[in-house]
Amino acid sequence: MKEFFLRCDDVTAPDAAFRRAWRLIRAAGLPLSCAVIPAAAGEPLVRFLAGEAAAGARVEALQHGFSHAEHSGNRYLKHEFGPSRPYALQLADMAAGKKLMRRLFGKLFTPVFVPPFHACNTDTLKAAAALRLRGVSSSRLPPGGAPGGLAFLRTRVTVNEYDLRLEPLPVDAALLKSRTLAAIREKGPAGIYFHHADLDAAGLKAMKDYFSFLKELEGRGLAAFRTCAELLRRSSR
């Protein structure tokens, strides 16, 4: 059975866009890993997620960079953690983000680092290992992969696509289903990630259709949906 995790990126507050996506996820009975920007999050998000968890939702907060700043100077090669930043700066920002996440979210915080823009380098991974984070979640890793003890939770299915002006394109449910079926044939857990802020009414309708498809896969015994914390616990057995 293929294991998937569903990740929502750039989460900072329980605003209208997040709540619309969350209602679909809750209605489908799927767990959610929220990639939270530490420096931009606050008590409203903490209260919302804690309340949903208390009501039975399988939800967690992952560490999405520090402030989601862009340091590359190239709109097509954006990164907050990457080659333009030395190890010491990456380590300091990651440590500050981890401290914030622990203080804000407590047990809801799963120590998995999500590099903004899916960009990182070997120094990023060294910093994550030095801070004893449990894993990194991205679409790819730099050559050499993750150091020992640091799990790689790869995202395989991309929901949002963008044009050359970086404007969101319509969500294609058929394409998402095709990507998901392709991921089933691969080894290891696979992430499905999306940006809630870029889902318009048509995008939400496509996501509702897609979530129904995911539940059908689950019902047929082809897929199981986990939080990252659950995946890490299973891998450590």
Side-chain angles (χ1 to χ4, degrees):
M1 181 184 293
K2 181 71 174 184
E3 293 182 307
F4 289 92
F5 63 96
L6 185 64
R7 199 185 82 200
C8 179
D9 285 6
D10 299 352
V11 179
T12 59
D15 55 17
F18 180 77
R19 287 174 184 264
R20 284 192 291 267
W22 175 249
R23 284 194 291 269
L24 292 181
I25 292 161
R26 282 291 276 149
L30 293 166
L32 183 65
S33 302
C34 297
V36 175
I37 302 172
E43 290 299 328
L45 179 63
V46 175
R47 289 194 298 269
F48 180 83
L49 295 185
E52 293 299 309
R58 290 157 64 203
V59 64
E60 65 185 348
L62 311 181
Q63 181 178 343
H64 194 24
F66 175 59
S67 63
H68 211 292
E70 201 292 294
H71 293 288
S72 74
N74 186 322
R75 66 183 305 205
Y76 299 109
L77 297 173
K78 293 180 178 181
H79 64 256
E80 180 179 20
F81 290 76
S84 71
R85 308 197 72 212
Y87 172 76
L89 290 180
Q90 294 197 46
L91 181 70
D93 274 0
M94 198 180 295
K98 180 183 177 184
K99 183 177 180 180
L100 270 173
M101 293 295 292
R102 284 207 182 282
R103 179 176 65 79
L104 286 169
F105 295 98
K107 293 181 179 180
L108 283 179
F109 171 47
T110 299
V112 168
F113 187 75
V114 180
F117 317 110
H118 285 255
C120 64
N121 65 359
T122 54
D123 281 341
T124 314
L125 303 183
K126 283 170 56 181
L131 292 169
R132 297 187 178 181
L133 292 169
R134 296 283 308 282
V136 172
S137 179
S138 185
S139 59
R140 60 192 178 276
L141 287 181
L150 193 65
F152 176 41
L153 298 172
R154 182 190 178 200
T155 52
R156 175 63 178 79
V157 180
T158 304
V159 170
N160 304 95
E161 299 284 1
Y162 301 87
D163 63 21
L164 292 177
R165 296 171 298 171
L166 303 182
E167 294 295 327
L169 295 169
V171 176
D172 186 337
L175 178 60
L176 296 183
K177 294 173 186 179
S178 176
R179 287 175 173 171
T180 304
L181 292 175
I184 285 178
R185 296 191 290 269
E186 300 173 353
K187 292 182 179 180
I192 301 165
Y193 81 100
F194 67 96
H195 291 83
H196 62 284
D198 291 335
L199 294 174
D200 58 12
L204 289 167
K205 184 177 179 180
M207 291 295 281
K208 183 177 181 180
D209 177 30
Y210 178 54
F211 290 156
S212 295
F213 169 75
L214 295 182
K215 294 299 290 184
E216 181 183 347
L217 292 179
E218 184 179 54
R220 292 168 59 189
L222 296 173
F225 297 91
R226 317 282 189 204
T227 63
C228 291
E230 291 167 353
L231 291 171
L232 291 170
R233 283 196 295 269
R234 290 169 67 84
S235 67
S236 64
R237 291 176 185 172

